[in-house]
Amino acid sequence: RPLWPTERVPIAPWFEENYAVFREDLDFIVKNDLFDTLYFAGHVSMTQFSGRRESWAPLNLIHNRKIAEHACKVANRTCELLLSRPEIARCHAHNVGAAFARLQPGMGIKPHFWSAPPRLGLHLGLITPPGATMMVGDQEVTWEEGKAVVFDDTYIHSIKHTGTEVRYLLIAWFCHPCDDVHAEVPPEDIGLCLG
């Protein structure tokens, strides 16, 4: 399934419950004009999926079970919370972790998908002005502040932002609940894996 019901993926309501902490850390970074400095000081994701380098920027907080020390000094409460989640901190799949993601208005991310091993993506709306949408398979997503969206990263997905203000999310990529090879922690709801 392209989109997963958030109430059946335990990390999703947890993200929503901690929205205020995540938003406070992001607000501090944005208000003090630290986003670009922190982004370029760490693991820079120069993606071929966006039209220009500055159009989409994920400020990594955790990447492959390692914290981004420079960013976590500023967003330490967010990093501490993220490290408490086994779906992120104890997932041995490749390219898992979490980041504050900025998308400039008028920009987008070209259609793409993750191939292997399977993983889920989670987007928590932090600053969500109108105009930004994501397609996952044939389903359209619009973000809301404080609300999580969970999707299967192996489906083709793309993003466009036709609005006029910058959009920010807290994004996470984590072990697919049905992947018993890379996840140290079995799914809490085995029904998710049975269809």
Side-chain angles (χ1 to χ4, degrees):
R1 68 189 86 147
L3 297 177
W4 283 56
T6 55
E7 66 277 0
R8 297 203 50 206
V9 181
I11 196 172
W14 179 87
F15 262 68
E16 293 177 352
E17 290 164 11
N18 289 286
Y19 162 79
V21 171
F22 302 144
R23 177 65 190 260
E24 285 175 23
D25 280 351
L26 175 68
D27 283 346
F28 180 84
I29 290 168
V30 171
K31 287 177 183 166
N32 290 285
D33 201 23
L34 297 171
F35 196 96
D36 284 333
T37 301
L38 294 170
Y39 173 67
F40 286 110
H43 174 83
V44 176
S45 178
M46 297 301 233
T47 177
Q48 69 272 25
F49 304 121
S50 55
R52 294 193 315 233
R53 175 193 53 79
E54 68 276 8
S55 62
W56 181 73
L59 169 54
N60 280 295
L61 303 167
I62 299 172
H63 183 75
N64 292 333
R65 297 172 314 282
K66 295 182 181 143
I67 65 164
E69 291 183 23
H70 66 288
C72 288
K73 284 180 184 174
V74 177
N76 67 330
R77 294 182 309 150
T78 293
C79 293
E80 286 175 9
L81 285 169
L82 292 170
L83 283 172
S84 75
R85 293 305 303 199
E87 300 94 330
I88 296 170
R90 293 171 52 200
C91 174
H92 295 277
H94 183 64
N95 280 339
V96 295
F100 287 130
R102 178 183 67 194
L103 181 66
Q104 297 288 354
M107 297 291 146
I109 301 175
K110 298 174 187 175
H112 63 285
F113 65 94
W114 182 252
S115 56
R119 66 182 186 183
L120 293 184
L122 185 148
H123 290 179
L124 178 70
L126 296 178
I127 300 174
T128 59
T133 58
M134 176 172 66
M135 292 297 297
V136 182
D138 63 353
Q139 298 183 33
E140 185 174 76
V141 172
T142 302
W143 297 278
E144 296 178 49
E145 291 181 12
K147 297 293 182 189
V149 173
V150 178
F151 64 98
D152 187 324
D153 209 15
T154 63
Y155 281 81
I156 293 176
H157 52 286
S158 61
I159 296 173
K160 66 179 177 179
H161 188 359
T162 60
T164 59
E165 300 173 55
V166 179
R167 186 230 54 198
Y168 290 94
L169 305 173
L170 177 59
I171 59 176
W173 301 277
F174 55 96
C175 279
H176 195 288
C178 308
D179 178 0
D180 59 0
V181 174
H182 298 95
E184 287 184 25
V185 180
E188 293 178 30
D189 182 353
I190 196 67
L192 287 171
C193 302
L194 302 176

